[in-house]
Amino acid sequence: MAEGTRKPSALTGRLQKLGIYNDDDIILHLPMRYEDETRVTTIHEASPGKTVQVEAEVEHSEVTFRPRRQLVAMVRDGSGTLTLRFLTFYPNIQKMLEPGKRVRAFGEVRGGFWGAEMIHPRLHAVTEGEVLPQALTPIYPATAGLAQSALRKLVQRALERVSLRDLLPESLRRSLKLAGWERSLRYLHQPPPEAHLAALESRSHPAWRRVKFEELLAQQISLRKAFVERRSHAAAPLPAQGTLTGRFLQTLPFALTGAQRRVLDDICRDLEQSYPMQRLLQGDVGSGKTVVAALAMLQAAENGLQAALMAPTEILAEQHYRKLEGWLKPMGVEVVWLAGSQKKRERKQMLERLESGEALLVVGTHALIEDSVALEKLGLAVVDEQHRFGVRQRLALREKVDGRLPHMLMMSATPIPRTLAMSYMADLDVSVLDELPPGRTPIVTKLVADVRRHEVVERVRDACHEGRQAYWVCPLIEESETLQLQTAVETYETLSAELDDLKVGLVHGRLKPDEKAEVMAAFVRNEIQVLVATTVIEVGVDVPNASLMVIEHAERFGLAQLHQLRGRVGRGAAASTCVLLYVQPLSGNGRERLKAIYESADGFEIARRDLQLRGPGEFIGARQSGTPLLRYADIELDVDLMESARQAADEILERCPEVGEALLARWYRGRSELLKA
Ligand code: ADP
Ligand code: MG
């Protein structure tokens, strides 16, 4: 393939679209399915509905123009005649279908007005004495301008050229009863006619299991390596002094939950090390991650180092800032605030306070990772809602200090199912907050058809007259931000008219940050009773008195999103309700999502269902994660292989690291630079 200075050809470009950069990649470009062209059916036996191959002689062919331009040919074998029809065609097809020529046509048979026909069959011109293919025909994932036949040829050539040496130690292969590498690959690319098609297509065939195991093994090895490599970097040890954290715990108006204490133990132990912590803190919505972050940050500060908390939106960052300030100011601990919307002067002041060391703690948005912000004494970086950030953004925060890396604490309210954590996040240490603070009343979830919307409006009115507050979440319109905004404004106007005895507010993504903050502040002060909102409130917003939530067109939202939104209520002592308004008819998937959210309040259970409904790529935001996605193995179906791969990865790294390197080269050559994120 083109290398060095040569200009990439069109073919190279197309192959790269498929993730193919070299011969190894071609070999690992495996068929999605197969077609059986190893046998022919007589036209007589080719009944409608069947997908078959016939071999016949062209009797007649012509281009007709009614009802539209098309090429129609009549072919005949010893048993009968069949019509072949092409609505678009090139001269080469016309040529193959000249009377007297022999062709093989592969396709689905349909019962047409003039008898059996095939529309757009795959044609093959039969030459004198030619025999049938000896292997099933693989159908590869393809892209525009790259035909199956071209891909097949490339694979054939690569199979001849590339070493198919088995990289796995014999003992491992034997103990796991794994098929050989060469045999498996040849089998998958060229299965013999008698191959078990169902086992091939469900990927349960031993040849597939071998490939999937190796893929999982390469992934585990790359993650383990990243894990080990982290320990080769230096970080400032931040032992617990108790000077700040101790005082903080005394002034905190509540006692930590058992889960919070356990998680803090993990973090505390990590911070004492001289290599960087890389811990993921998972905790369902409302489980109390912020106070954990605050304690970790104080531990950095009591060692004289800086700590930064980065959040994905201004609403959220500002809320964290207010919370930390509220807790820490009385203790005389300064917190500064950095956001994109900030006035130049304020920003300058904040930066000065950081530089002078007056303040060690900083909260902000992406503004924290801008070049002008120098966090030269950064000891700890906390990233809230970490999945909202790209790998590079998270790394940017880490690169702030040269020589030493800061400790990293990543927080996520999207619980990650075990299988997913095992495969995609094995390079992190994970702590889980699996207990909600006491005094919460469970949220009652109601599914209400949109035709009863007026009843819901009345309930909101009653609740607000009793002193409660409500969120009203606008329908999601993913295709257009403008339409989304328009809908939000309309919803706001309608509700303001319907609830003219209440104060209704509106918050959406296009508001200026200070406008947004103003609305939120008014809501916190209960000057607004009903807050109409887009999904900007999805993450982290915390207003304990808001105990009612209505979500319009709930069927349009994703499962994780619904769970996050619902988590905005149920934060105070009052019984909370979440009303999901839906419009009929529901799609199958929409029904499943609503059912899942109705049936469970447990973030982990919901995440599991979400994973089933969406698949891992969508779930973790494939483009963001930087971890290579699995192409063949399925983390739910192949969990046994994953367990084995995990064990094997440790053994290989310990006993024969060169095997690990070879596996990484085979599976990720040149593409693992983001693995260390
Ligand atoms: P999340 O994990 O979703 O970020 P927060 O940190 O916002 O949750 O906490 C939710 C609410 O619970 C906040 O008002 C917080 O002050 C409160 N909280 C946290 N920990 C406790 C606790 N141990 N006891 C009582 N309330 C708590
Ligand atoms: Mg939070």
Side-chain angles (χ1 to χ4, degrees):
M1 225 148 292
E3 247 173 283
T5 52
R6 249 194 301 159
K7 219 176 144 199
S9 67
L11 175 64
T12 309
R14 285 174 195 142
L15 286 171
Q16 287 181 357
K17 254 199 198 148
L18 295 172
I20 299 175
Y21 292 82
N22 55 39
D23 279 349
D24 273 341
D25 294 339
I26 293 189
I27 300 272
L28 289 176
H29 192 67
L30 292 170
M32 304 178 286
R33 59 189 176 84
Y34 301 89
E35 281 172 359
D36 188 354
E37 292 174 311
T38 64
R39 53 198 116 215
V40 294
T41 307
T42 63
I43 288 176
H44 178 70
E45 283 169 337
S47 42
K50 278 193 191 162
T51 297
V52 295
Q53 173 170 251
V54 302
E55 182 171 325
E57 192 176 307
V58 181
E59 253 192 13
H60 173 82
S61 66
E62 64 177 329
V63 177
T64 66
F65 291 89
R66 249 165 247 194
R68 49 173 287 190
R69 184 171 181 269
Q70 50 184 289
L71 172 63
V72 183
M74 176 74 84
V75 300
R76 175 188 290 281
D77 70 0
S79 73
T81 58
L82 177 72
T83 303
L84 308 181
R85 195 181 295 278
F86 293 84
L87 301 177
T88 55
F89 52 92
Y90 292 101
N92 67 323
I93 299 267
Q94 257 173 301
K95 212 156 174 192
M96 284 160 93
L97 290 175
E98 281 165 4
K101 297 239 165 120
R102 280 193 82 71
V103 289
R104 285 188 206 129
F106 186 98
E108 189 186 331
V109 184
R110 303 226 211 157
F113 185 72
W114 304 105
E117 63 175 40
M118 278 184 188
I119 299 174
H120 283 265
R122 196 164 61 240
L123 280 190
H124 171 78
V126 182
T127 52
E128 196 59 39
E130 186 183 339
V131 293
L132 286 166
Q134 295 304 299
L136 298 182
T137 309
I139 308 295
Y140 293 101
T143 183
L146 192 55
Q148 288 293 331
S149 53
L151 271 169
R152 254 173 248 144
K153 265 190 214 125
L154 285 167
V155 171
Q156 295 300 342
R157 262 188 274 141
L159 278 173
E160 283 159 26
R161 219 164 27 206
V162 172
S163 149
L164 296 173
R165 192 168 62 89
D166 208 314
L167 297 176
L168 298 189
E170 176 75 33
S171 57
L172 180 64
R173 251 165 48 211
R174 227 169 327 138
S175 71
L176 292 173
K177 299 198 175 65
L178 293 172
W181 181 246
E182 169 155 14
R183 200 163 144 222
S184 299
L185 281 179
R186 291 201 187 280
Y187 196 95
L188 292 177
H189 283 297
Q190 310 165 320
E194 71 280 5
H196 191 349
L197 259 184
L200 278 176
E201 288 185 356
S202 66
R203 298 187 174 173
S204 58
H205 190 279
W208 266 121
R209 282 182 67 79
R210 166 59 204 256
V211 169
K212 292 195 288 189
F213 175 79
E214 208 179 290
E215 177 181 42
L216 288 164
L217 182 60
Q219 189 193 45
Q220 290 297 319
I221 287 175
S222 71
L223 291 167
R224 288 304 297 171
K225 273 191 61 167
F227 185 88
V228 172
E229 205 220 45
R230 168 155 54 93
R231 304 204 164 191
S232 66
H233 292 288
L238 304 171
Q241 314 282 358
T243 45
L244 294 175
T245 48
R247 267 165 61 207
F248 176 63
L249 284 172
Q250 275 167 13
T251 54
L252 202 62
F254 49 76
L256 297 182
T257 64
Q260 283 169 325
R261 281 202 307 271
R262 215 178 38 246
V263 164
L264 276 162
D265 279 348
D266 292 343
I267 294 172
C268 200
R269 227 175 308 117
D270 286 355
L271 291 178
E272 283 171 3
Q273 307 304 321
S274 52
Y275 55 83
M277 161 168 88
Q278 190 143 324
R279 186 168 287 278
L280 175 67
L281 170 56
Q282 286 188 51
D284 208 346
V285 202
S287 58
K289 294 184 290 294
T290 319
V291 71
V292 172
L295 278 157
M297 290 170 82
L298 285 175
Q299 191 163 327
E302 65 192 15
N303 282 281
L305 290 189
Q306 294 167 327
L309 169 57
M310 182 163 78
T313 66
E314 288 220 16
I315 288 193
L316 190 51
E318 159 131 20
Q319 194 165 289
H320 283 322
Y321 169 65
R322 299 239 170 274
K323 191 144 224 168
L324 289 190
E325 199 193 28
W327 280 332
L328 302 180
K329 207 170 189 172
M331 291 171 50
V333 175
E334 282 247 23
V335 185
V336 305
W337 155 249
L338 280 178
S341 65
Q342 231 160 6
K343 302 232 162 53
K344 269 216 178 93
R345 238 193 52 216
E346 189 191 345
R347 182 186 167 88
K348 203 164 150 254
Q349 272 177 2
M350 294 288 171
L351 289 174
E352 277 167 10
R353 301 236 303 271
L354 273 176
E355 266 159 46
S356 68
E358 231 174 300
L360 290 170
L361 306 185
V362 54
V363 179
T365 56
H366 303 81
L368 280 175
I369 47 178
E370 277 165 25
D371 288 337
S372 56
V373 182
L375 298 172
E376 263 151 25
K377 294 202 295 176
L378 188 65
L380 168 70
V382 184
V383 182
D384 194 21
E385 304 297 337
Q386 56 94 24
H387 57 283
R388 292 284 182 115
F389 292 97
V391 177
R392 288 187 196 286
Q393 289 171 321
R394 278 182 266 151
L395 284 183
L397 196 50
R398 223 177 60 159
E399 278 163 10
K400 278 290 165 182
V401 194
D402 34 15
R404 284 176 169 185
L405 288 179
H407 297 279
M408 289 275 280
L409 177 63
M410 287 159 280
M411 307 201 290
S412 170
T414 307
I416 297 152
R418 200 181 75 93
T419 49
L420 198 60
M422 249 166 70
S423 62
Y424 291 105
M425 304 188 170
D427 58 333
L428 304 179
D429 294 302
V430 179
S431 297
V432 181
L433 278 178
D434 52 5
E435 182 187 346
L436 292 181
R440 303 277 168 84
T441 39
I443 305 166
V444 177
T445 300
K446 299 198 164 155
L447 294 176
V448 180
D450 184 66
V451 289
R452 290 173 51 205
R453 184 178 175 285
H454 58 281
E455 292 172 35
V456 175
V457 172
E458 286 317 307
R459 281 205 48 169
V460 169
R461 188 196 310 276
D462 294 345
C464 290
H465 281 304
E466 285 165 20
R468 294 161 68 187
Q469 287 171 277
Y471 294 103
W472 190 288
V473 181
C474 302
L476 181 68
I477 300 169
E478 285 206 309
E479 308 80 57
S480 153
E481 211 196 322
T482 311
L483 265 183
Q484 172 79 65
L485 180 66
Q486 193 186 325
T487 314
V489 172
E490 280 165 15
T491 309
Y492 166 71
E493 281 165 1
T494 318
L495 272 178
S496 300
E498 284 170 318
L499 297 169
D500 55 0
D501 49 341
L502 297 174
K503 181 90 176 79
V504 181
L506 171 64
V507 60
H508 57 74
R510 290 271 186 90
L511 285 185
K512 293 214 187 70
D514 48 345
E515 295 170 334
K516 235 184 273 178
E518 213 167 285
V519 178
M520 289 310 292
F523 190 53
V524 169
R525 292 192 300 262
N526 199 358
E527 288 160 18
I528 288 174
Q529 282 87 50
V530 180
L531 183 63
V532 176
T534 56
T535 49
V536 295
I537 61 154
E538 180 190 337
V539 277
V541 173
D542 186 22
V543 182
N545 192 46
S547 58
L548 188 59
M549 171 169 287
V550 182
I551 303 178
E552 269 195 277
H553 270 290
E555 76 281 357
R556 292 186 189 166
F557 289 84
L559 197 40
Q561 218 170 12
L562 286 173
H563 180 64
Q564 289 271 320
L565 283 169
R566 183 171 60 179
R568 296 308 114 215
V569 292
R571 308 204 134 216
S576 296
T577 308
C578 179
V579 179
L580 303 175
L581 281 174
Y582 63 89
V583 176
Q584 276 170 320
L586 287 172
S587 70
N589 203 287
R591 183 188 309 277
E592 282 303 310
R593 272 178 279 132
L594 291 185
K595 188 161 169 272
I597 202 81
Y598 177 73
E599 284 175 352
S600 180
D602 172 1
F604 277 86
E605 171 59 18
I606 286 170
R608 207 181 52 75
R609 303 268 287 260
D610 200 22
L611 181 62
Q612 278 170 355
L613 288 169
R614 287 198 294 167
E618 278 281 307
F619 190 93
I620 55 172
R623 274 166 293 115
Q624 300 245 308
S625 81
T627 304
L629 286 180
L630 294 165
R631 291 150 73 187
Y632 303 120
D634 178 308
I635 59 167
E636 291 284 313
L637 297 177
D638 299 317
V639 65
D640 60 323
L641 284 177
M642 197 187 325
E643 295 277 11
S644 314
R646 202 148 75 124
Q647 282 173 19
D650 281 335
E651 264 181 51
I652 285 176
L653 283 174
E654 200 166 300
R655 297 218 195 122
C656 37
E658 70 289 350
V659 169
E661 292 306 321
L663 282 168
L664 291 183
R666 178 181 277 172
W667 284 89
Y668 302 133
R669 184 181 312 195
R671 264 168 289 146
S672 56
E673 76 279 6
L674 288 176
L675 276 177
K676 290 168 213 85

